[in-house]
Amino acid sequence: MEKIVYTLWRDPSEDLDAFSRRLRGEVAEQLFTLGARGLQVNLADADVAPAAGLRQENNRPLADAVLSLWVDSANTPVRRPFDEVLARVSSRLAAYLVCESVAIRNTRFPAHPGERTHGFSQIAFLSCPPRLTREAWLDTWRNYHTQVAIDTQDNFLYVQNLVVRALTHGATPLDAIVEEAFPPAAMTDPMAFFDAPGDEEKFRKNLAAMMESCNRFIDFDRIDVLPTSQYLLKTTVAP
């Protein structure tokens, strides 16, 4: 079983709501018919408009959707029909083969297939800074930062996707794609985001610890962050 993460840009002539419905409806059906084992769609839609302040865009323009697809094989002959389905509904796409690690499984607000997950899902696209070797970067991120992110934030889902390789020509070079889900209040309230509602001292402590950890392995002029609505459409193997 392999996981492919697609970043998708809609045709500007298509309304975002219509694009969302197509991905979650007819496109999902086609992908299942082709043999998809699991499917998740994340969309930068109106429901996450309040989280605009969390958006970071260094590689413009950011995608409108991120689609996670679990398949038996990501080899080109097997993957090509999936690519073709998504290419027909997108003005541009990029695909990445990833190795998935679920640091926090969503047991607090579990979503039923097809329903919007509670709150919002923040997707971060990471690149290894030139100042670090890939080995040092990976060790810092996975073996040290992971626990800091769990301890200092109110994230109820935390998925770390290590990029194995890009699968499409022209894809932005990436080393990781991170998914974290938060309650609705975290869209606009930093204290809620950092698991410290009404507690200024805890907020400052958690924020400082998180920023110190991030600075060890992230260059903030290279990161992209996209707040999204998450939809699990088939959960056989999805988180």
Side-chain angles (χ1 to χ4, degrees):
M1 188 74 66
E2 294 189 298
K3 179 179 180 180
I4 305 170
V5 175
Y6 290 89
T7 49
L8 306 173
W9 288 258
R10 65 184 169 89
D11 187 316
S13 66
E14 182 173 26
D15 177 80
L16 181 58
D17 287 341
F19 182 60
S20 172
R21 290 193 298 270
R22 290 182 73 190
L23 289 179
R24 294 183 286 120
E26 62 185 82
V27 171
E29 292 178 4
Q30 293 174 49
L31 296 176
F32 291 143
T33 299
L34 290 171
R37 301 295 186 181
L39 181 62
Q40 175 184 300
V41 176
N42 288 71
L43 295 140
D45 59 14
D47 287 323
V48 295
L54 300 174
R55 186 180 175 108
Q56 298 182 51
E57 193 169 4
N58 286 298
N59 293 288
R60 299 174 181 269
L62 284 184
D64 296 295
V66 177
L67 186 145
S68 297
L69 182 69
W70 287 261
V71 294
D72 290 332
S73 171
N75 291 345
T76 301
V78 179
R79 192 191 75 251
R80 185 176 293 115
F82 296 101
D83 290 358
E84 291 172 350
V85 167
L86 294 171
R88 286 196 291 270
V89 297
S90 307
S91 63
R92 171 186 166 196
L93 68 79
Y96 303 88
L97 175 64
V98 302
C99 178
E100 177 188 55
S101 174
V102 182
I104 301 176
R105 189 170 295 276
N106 180 9
T107 58
R108 199 195 316 178
F109 303 110
H112 297 292
E115 293 183 0
R116 185 183 183 278
T117 301
H118 182 74
F120 73 104
S121 178
Q122 177 173 278
I123 300 182
F125 304 91
L126 306 180
S127 299
C128 176
R131 57 190 164 87
L132 296 175
T133 65
R134 183 173 172 83
E135 291 75 16
W137 170 82
L138 185 60
D139 182 55
T140 301
W141 172 41
R142 295 288 288 270
N143 295 324
Y144 296 95
H145 176 77
T146 299
Q147 193 59 50
V148 175
I150 292 171
D151 291 342
T152 63
Q153 302 177 115
D154 192 21
N155 45 4
F156 60 84
L157 171 72
Y158 186 12
V159 179
Q160 300 170 319
N161 299 294
L162 178 65
V163 173
V164 178
R165 62 188 178 93
L167 297 173
T168 51
H169 295 296
T172 300
L174 294 174
D175 291 296
I177 301 169
V178 179
E179 309 165 49
E180 292 181 275
F182 295 84
M187 284 194 260
T188 56
D189 183 356
M191 296 178 77
F193 190 101
F194 286 101
D195 195 26
D199 189 333
E200 183 70 26
E201 182 179 354
K202 182 180 179 182
F203 165 66
R204 292 184 181 279
K205 179 180 177 181
N206 285 356
L207 174 61
M210 184 64 174
M211 291 302 99
E212 180 182 5
S213 185
C214 286
N215 283 325
R216 295 178 63 193
F217 75 104
I218 294 174
D219 284 353
F220 285 96
D221 60 350
R222 295 163 59 89
I223 188 175
D224 293 305
V225 177
L226 183 67
T228 69
S229 293
Q230 181 196 80
Y231 292 88
L232 290 176
L233 302 181
K234 187 174 182 181
T235 58
T236 303
V237 295

